[in-house]
Amino acid sequence: MILVDFTPEGGQLQRLSTEYAALKYQWFGYITSMSTMKLALPSRHGGIARPEFARIAISPKLMADLGSYPKTAAVRIVETDDDEAGGTVLYTGTASLDQYDRHGFSYTLKRPELPAIVASGTVYNNTLVNVASALCTAMGLTLDSSEARSPSPAVLHTTTSERLAIDLLSEICRFFCHGGRIIGSTLYLFDMLGTWPAIDLTEFDIQPSEYRRDKPYSLIKSGDKSVPGAATNGEEYNAGTAYHTGSTNITTALNDINSILARDIATIRFISEQARPVILDRINLLDESLVLPVNVSGAITSIIYNYDTLSVEAEVSGSVTA
């Protein structure tokens, strides 16, 4: 079920859900509809995952209880089976009243922003982990780099314009094939070329899923530097800004990007009560529902939560073998 902490500006916490539930606290079934939430890395080879959330619809019964139409509210959304403490936090941020009528109230859920700014002309000449640590401190976050690459890639870059720290860090991570997820006030950093503890699944844990291979690229480039892709003919891939000036460092990063883009992709579907994977979880799946067994091993790079159908769809980048 979905639990929503809804605290109107200047008001008291209201415990809302998609159904009435008596857990540790009483939750009122005033949530009539929620749009899907997507959480994805900027690309399959890395960057920091940020949520894309649209709207949440609330019954007019809440406004009758409050005696007002709150224009904004602090919101925390948790998905759980049967208790508040053991749920997965899906969203923490601000809801703004969008539109309303006699049937209900629609609130837009804003993407949480980390407003720290990096000035133009800022020089970075350090390892990725140390740069990430400094930027996290500026944003009020704690860095967990236990799953980052060792030795950490070198960063050598001077900013040419004012940047949001979160956007700059995401681009640096993306170029050096690191993914990041923010949970609470901690940024967890993962080496997309590495491995970390995985969730073991079989076909009994999932809904019918799909497996594919994307068309490979012919060239992976950044500025005037490039490396051959996995295809002799095909589209070129622009890796964006190079966050080092050395040719060897750039070439290494581009080859790493090429190796990840050449990986297989699995689209795995869950009923939310069956499993609650989160972005950058690693999945080991044995699917014997096909004519021949399929083995999947990789990391979740994109995940979509659909609250109307209570389903979860995760895109896994890695190895798919039959």
Side-chain angles (χ1 to χ4, degrees), residues 237-249:
Y237 182 82
N238 188 344
T241 300
Y243 284 94
H244 203 286
T245 58
S247 294
T248 300
N249 301 73

Side-chain angles (χ1 to χ4, degrees), residues 173-229:
C173 290
R174 177 179 177 272
F175 184 73
F176 289 109
C177 295
H178 278 67
R181 68 183 181 200
I182 299 173
I183 299 178
S185 60
T186 301
L187 170 63
Y188 296 86
L189 202 59
F190 296 83
D191 177 12
M192 301 301 290
L193 297 173
T195 59
W196 51 93
I199 300 170
D200 293 323
L201 302 171
T202 71
E203 71 270 19
F204 299 106
D205 300 308
I206 64 173
Q207 299 298 301
S209 299
E210 299 171 358
Y211 312 100
R212 73 179 192 273
R213 303 197 71 181
D214 274 359
K215 184 179 180 181
Y217 294 95
S218 62
L219 195 71
I220 314 298
K221 64 180 184 179
S222 174
D224 60 354
K225 302 291 193 301
S226 64
V227 298

Side-chain angles (χ1 to χ4, degrees), residues 264-302:
D264 303 317
I265 298 172
T267 301
I268 302 177
R269 298 182 177 89
F270 305 85
I271 295 297
S272 60
E273 282 82 358
Q274 293 175 312
R276 289 189 189 83
V278 297
I279 194 75
L280 286 170
D281 273 353
R282 283 192 62 81
I283 300 292
N284 287 334
L285 167 65
L286 173 60
D287 185 354
E288 295 185 293
S289 67
L290 283 74
V291 63
L292 294 174
V294 172
N295 288 277
V296 177
S297 180
I300 295 176
T301 56
S302 173

Side-chain angles (χ1 to χ4, degrees), residues 51-184:
E52 297 176 15
F53 234 132
R55 288 183 173 84
I56 182 170
I58 300 177
S59 166
K61 293 178 182 179
L62 175 64
M63 307 329 172
D65 292 349
L66 296 175
S68 65
Y69 298 166
K71 293 182 179 179
T72 62
V75 171
R76 181 175 180 266
I77 300 175
V78 174
E79 185 182 28
T80 186
D81 275 340
D82 54 12
D83 68 78
E84 292 91 333
T88 299
V89 178
L90 302 178
Y91 174 84
T92 302
T94 303
S96 296
L97 183 60
D98 181 37
Q99 63 184 40
Y100 56 94
D101 57 25
R102 70 182 66 181
H103 302 294
F105 294 74
S106 175
Y107 282 84
T108 299
L109 298 174
K110 296 182 178 179
R111 189 175 80 168
E113 294 296 345
L114 298 164
I117 298 293
V118 175
S120 178
T122 301
V123 178
Y124 292 99
N125 184 8
N126 212 319
T127 65
L128 170 61
V129 166
N130 286 339
V131 169
S133 180
L135 289 171
C136 281
T137 298
M139 293 183 285
L141 298 174
T142 299
L143 177 67
D144 184 326
S145 58
S146 57
E147 299 295 347
R149 194 176 312 157
S150 182
S152 183
V155 178
L156 181 56
H157 178 75
T158 301
T159 58
T160 57
S161 62
E162 191 176 81
R163 301 290 308 279
L164 277 172
I166 187 66
D167 292 342
L168 176 63
L169 179 55
S170 183
E171 289 184 11
I172 294 173
C173 290
R174 177 179 177 272
F175 184 73
F176 289 109
C177 295
H178 278 67
R181 68 183 181 200
I182 299 173
I183 299 178

